[in-house]
């Protein structure tokens, strides 16, 4: 019997396996595809590698090879870490058959004192005709088919859709986004969405928001309604990027932990309704992000080792790797108001930031939200170069409840993007003074 059986070798499963094994537990990790899961092999890493290299006239075969090289290097590194930690990696899908047992397809029964579900998620299909037609792909398929297109039509304006739109648009391809909601990346701050839409349009991307897709026709072509008018657009490839669903179907046989729409229900310690079975990451819902799953996996491993977890699992920062980048953590001003939290915001527009001008001067801002009474930072929204790096400072500040006065204390170097944080804090302090 192992101390821990982990079903799924993505960021969360690998983090839990390494922490638990290094702490002295015997761990078996079941992964039917590649170690690293969606993020490393079919998501975050390959997408960012493509974003880094895509430009007009780029060599698509070289771009695909560079993407594969990055993925292979990172996957090999993770495999070596697991081996060094003496994690037993089983390249097979496991089905959970009881509170302490799992079975692989060859009939082998595995026993564990605890089981951790970290199966991740899958691209969600749309309930419309034509999903199985030639030329229709999800993000997994598109990332395995790196080549130029005369026209790439993307159904879905979330993070996956807009990042892949940026890849092909940056290389000079015609791109169209069709989104059902009234704006792109609707889970982020409205001003971030507006800024992104403007930059996509500048890059030549056609954007239809508030659109209703009826079907995908042979060709392929997409028939949809926008502002009362019906459109049919043909494309080389139709990418369906309309969200993801938990990969929990068929995971249990003979045991049924509580679930909600396919997501496992867990308590504050990530236990399911069956106390020996834990679940993390996309399998439990919330933000479907690698760093969320990794943090949760680390926490579960600490708990199983009988230790108090050092890592937190909130707030979870979100990033969009467009140009400029977008990032957000904590509450927006609208969200604070909706919760009846007294709040003000301070904003720095990047037009006067020296490093921004040096890098090309694209439109951007740093916006910070402060509690009107305590002055604590409630959230931050960034549209600027290196936003995905800058958000770390603001995540720390929100986690620790730092005030505007405390955030103003550090001397940030010049010329840097980080100077905008200081300017946004100063603007926030002025707003706080006016609100008294």
């Amino acid at each position: 019997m192992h101390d821990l059986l982990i079903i799924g070798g993505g960021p969360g499963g690998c983090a839990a396996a390494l922490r638990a094994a290094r702490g002295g537990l015997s761990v078996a990790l079941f992964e039917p595809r590649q170690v690293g899961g969606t993020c490393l092999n079919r998501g975050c890493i390959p997408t960012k590698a493509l974003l880094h290299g895509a430009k007009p006239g780029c060599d698509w075969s070289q771009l695909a090879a560079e993407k594969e090289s990055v993925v292979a290097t990172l996957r090999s590194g993770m495999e070596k870490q697991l081996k060094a930690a003496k994690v037993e990696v089983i390249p097979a899908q496991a089905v959970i058959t009881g509170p302490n047992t799992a079975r692989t397809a060859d009939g082998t029964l595995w026993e564990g004192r605890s089981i951790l579900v970290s199966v991740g998620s899958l691209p969600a299909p749309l309930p419309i005709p034509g999903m199985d037609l030639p030329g229709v792909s999800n993000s997994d398929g598109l990332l395995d088919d790196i080549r130029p297109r005369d026209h790439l039509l993307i159904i879905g304006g979330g993070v996956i859709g807009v990042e892949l739109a940026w890849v092909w648009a940056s290389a000079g391809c015609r791109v169209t986004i069709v989104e059902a909601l009234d704006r792109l990346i609707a889970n982020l701050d409205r001003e971030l969405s507006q800024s992104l839409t403007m930059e996509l349009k500048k890059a030549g991307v056609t954007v239809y928001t508030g659109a209703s897709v009826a079907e995908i026709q042979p060709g392929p072509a997409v028939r949809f309604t926008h502002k009362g008018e019906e459109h049919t657009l043909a494309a080389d490839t139709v990418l369906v990027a309309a969200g993801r669903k938990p990969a929990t179907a068929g995971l249990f046989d003979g045991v049924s932990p509580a679930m909600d729409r396919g997501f496992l229900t867990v308590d504050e310690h990530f236990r399911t309704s069956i106390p020996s079975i834990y679940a993390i990451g996309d399998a439990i819902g919330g933000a479907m992000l690698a760093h969320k799953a990794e943090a949760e996996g680390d926490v579960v491993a600490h708990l199983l080792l009988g230790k108090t977890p050092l890592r937190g699992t909130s707030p979870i920062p979100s990033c969009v790797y467009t140009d400029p980048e977008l990032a957000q953590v904590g509450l927006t001003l609208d969200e604070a108001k909706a919760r009846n939290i007294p709040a003000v915001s301070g904003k720095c527009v990047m037009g006067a930031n020296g490093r921004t001008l040096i890098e090309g001067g694209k439109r951007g801002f740093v916006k910070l939200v402060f509690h009107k009474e305590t002055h604590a930072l409630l959230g931050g929204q960034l549209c600027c170069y290196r936003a995905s790096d800058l958000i770390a400072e603001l995540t720390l500040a929100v986690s620790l409840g730092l005030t505007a006065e405390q955030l103003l204390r550090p001397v940030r170097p010049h010329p840097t993007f980080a100077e905008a944080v200081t300017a946004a804090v100063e603007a926030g302090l002025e707003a706080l003074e006016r609100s008294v």
Side-chain angles (χ1 to χ4, degrees):
M1 174 182 281
H2 288 77
D3 293 313
L4 177 61
L5 305 181
I6 300 178
I7 318 298
C14 287
L18 290 171
R19 179 68 67 188
R22 288 167 179 167
L25 300 184
S26 58
V27 180
L29 176 69
F30 300 84
E31 174 50 61
R33 300 178 75 174
Q34 305 105 325
V35 165
T38 295
C39 175
L40 174 52
N41 298 287
R42 302 172 296 279
C44 323
I45 297 299
T47 302
K48 278 56 177 180
L50 294 174
L51 284 164
H52 178 74
K55 56 184 179 293
C58 64
D59 183 326
W60 286 88
S61 60
Q62 182 179 345
L63 189 61
E66 289 173 351
K67 182 263 289 184
E68 287 301 322
S69 175
V70 170
V71 170
T73 299
L74 291 172
R75 185 169 60 235
S76 174
M78 178 55 68
E79 290 168 345
K80 289 176 182 176
Q81 288 186 65
L82 292 167
K83 183 177 180 180
K86 296 183 170 52
V87 174
E88 185 177 359
V89 179
I90 296 94
Q93 179 63 56
V95 175
I96 298 171
T97 57
N100 302 97
T101 57
R103 185 184 64 245
T104 47
D106 61 2
T108 303
L109 191 68
W110 301 78
E111 292 184 89
R113 290 182 175 84
S114 300
I115 298 175
L116 174 62
V117 177
S118 57
V119 292
S121 59
L122 300 167
L126 281 175
I128 59 172
M131 285 290 296
D132 57 350
L133 287 171
V136 180
S137 180
N138 58 29
S139 56
D140 287 4
L142 190 69
L143 289 170
D144 280 336
D145 187 17
I146 308 302
R147 58 183 172 85
R149 269 93 171 163
D150 289 332
H151 185 200
L152 172 64
L153 192 152
I154 301 172
I155 302 176
V159 174
I160 296 170
V162 300
E163 288 189 349
L164 291 174
W166 203 272
V167 171
W168 267 265
S170 297
C173 299
R174 179 186 170 202
V175 179
T176 300
I177 298 175
V178 179
E179 166 58 42
L181 298 177
D182 65 351
R183 59 189 177 93
L184 302 180
I185 52 167
N187 61 311
L188 297 186
D189 177 70
R190 183 171 294 275
E191 192 172 4
L192 292 180
S193 175
Q194 293 169 343
S195 296
L196 172 64
T197 302
M198 288 175 56
E199 292 298 334
L200 283 167
K201 289 180 177 179
K202 287 179 185 177
V205 177
T206 303
V207 178
Y208 294 91
T209 54
S212 176
V213 176
E215 64 175 345
I216 304 174
Q217 301 172 344
V222 175
R223 182 167 67 87
F224 64 95
T225 302
H226 178 252
K227 294 184 177 179
E229 295 185 9
E230 188 171 289
H231 302 260
T232 301
L233 296 181
D236 300 82
T237 300
V238 173
L239 168 64
V240 178
R244 298 182 67 83
K245 63 177 183 178
T248 54
L251 181 61
F252 299 97
D253 181 15
V255 62
S256 301
M259 302 180 80
D260 179 15
R261 296 172 293 113
F263 295 104
L264 284 156
T265 303
V266 296
D267 64 14
E268 68 274 16
H269 298 300
F270 301 101
R271 280 195 188 93
T272 68
S273 58
I274 301 172
S276 59
I277 301 177
Y278 295 74
I280 59 170
D282 293 3
I284 64 172
M288 289 186 167
L289 299 170
H291 45 280
K292 169 184 174 287
E294 182 186 359
E296 291 170 349
D298 190 79
V299 166
V300 170
H302 270 92
L303 292 171
L304 293 175
L305 288 165
K307 298 180 179 180
T308 301
L310 297 177
R311 293 187 68 171
T313 56
S314 68
I316 301 294
S318 298
C319 302
V320 185
Y321 295 82
T322 47
D323 184 14
E325 294 178 347
L326 310 180
Q328 176 173 306
V329 69
L331 297 178
T332 66
L333 188 60
D334 287 343
E335 288 170 340
K337 289 179 178 177
R339 299 184 190 186
N340 294 318
I341 299 173
V344 300
S345 66
K347 181 178 176 182
C348 170
V349 177
M350 302 299 284
N353 178 266
R355 184 69 185 276
T356 297
L357 293 172
I358 291 168
E359 294 285 342
K362 284 197 173 183
R363 180 180 187 270
F365 61 87
V366 171
K367 183 164 56 175
L368 304 180
V369 180
F370 296 98
H371 195 288
K372 193 179 291 187
E373 296 166 359
T374 67
H375 294 194
L377 181 69
L378 299 175
Q381 301 85 46
L382 288 72
C383 171
C384 60
Y385 298 105
R386 299 292 178 87
S388 60
D389 294 318
L390 290 177
I391 200 66
E393 176 185 355
L394 302 180
T395 302
L396 177 64
V398 174
S399 300
L400 298 179
L402 298 185
T403 64
E405 291 81 0
Q406 289 170 320
L407 276 168
L408 194 59
R409 194 169 300 161
V411 177
R412 297 177 176 88
H414 173 79
T416 64
F417 305 118
E419 290 177 285
V421 174
T422 299
V425 173
E426 290 177 332
L429 279 168
E430 292 175 2
L432 288 166
E433 290 172 0
R434 291 194 301 269
S435 70
V436 174

